[in-house]
Amino acid sequence: LFYYYMKVGELYEVRHTWLLPHSTSDFWSSCGPVLYVGEDVFVNQDGKKIVNYVVLAGGERRTLDQSFLKFLEPISCSNRKAGV
């Protein structure tokens, strides 16, 4: 799965926003680059380990679950140099 390759401090863009729920698609369509901060792990009362993923997007800290990561694609170095 893609999320194993995410690197802390790297920039990503949100893709395929038309597949997102309407309530969140406007934010993700216009948030610009997303900075991956890292994992946020906790253990629930049943002892199950829960892993979420933290990003900075649109000036806000957002916590994502694994299902959202398929919408994030890395912004390549060549795109950053071109100002994309």
Side-chain angles (χ1 to χ4, degrees):
L1 294 172
F2 175 71
Y3 68 92
Y4 287 113
Y5 302 105
M6 293 184 70
K7 294 182 182 177
V8 172
E10 290 290 319
L11 290 174
Y12 294 83
E13 61 184 333
V14 181
R15 305 294 294 205
H16 315 295
T17 54
W18 65 88
L19 296 172
L20 293 170
H22 181 70
S23 61
T24 62
S25 64
D26 286 344
F27 173 82
W28 292 111
S29 295
S30 62
C31 69
V34 173
L35 177 69
Y36 179 59
V37 176
E39 293 182 351
D40 183 16
V41 181
F42 67 94
V43 179
N44 69 12
Q45 292 178 346
D46 297 335
K48 183 177 178 185
K49 180 180 171 183
I50 307 296
V51 180
N52 289 312
Y53 303 88
V54 180
V55 298
L56 293 177
E60 299 178 17
R61 180 185 190 271
R62 294 281 180 128
T63 301
L64 310 172
D65 67 12
Q66 180 180 340
S67 68
F68 190 89
L69 299 183
K70 63 186 169 214
F71 297 104
L72 298 178
E73 292 185 8
I75 297 176
S76 71
C77 292
S78 60
N79 285 347
R80 278 190 247 158
K81 290 177 185 173
V84 175

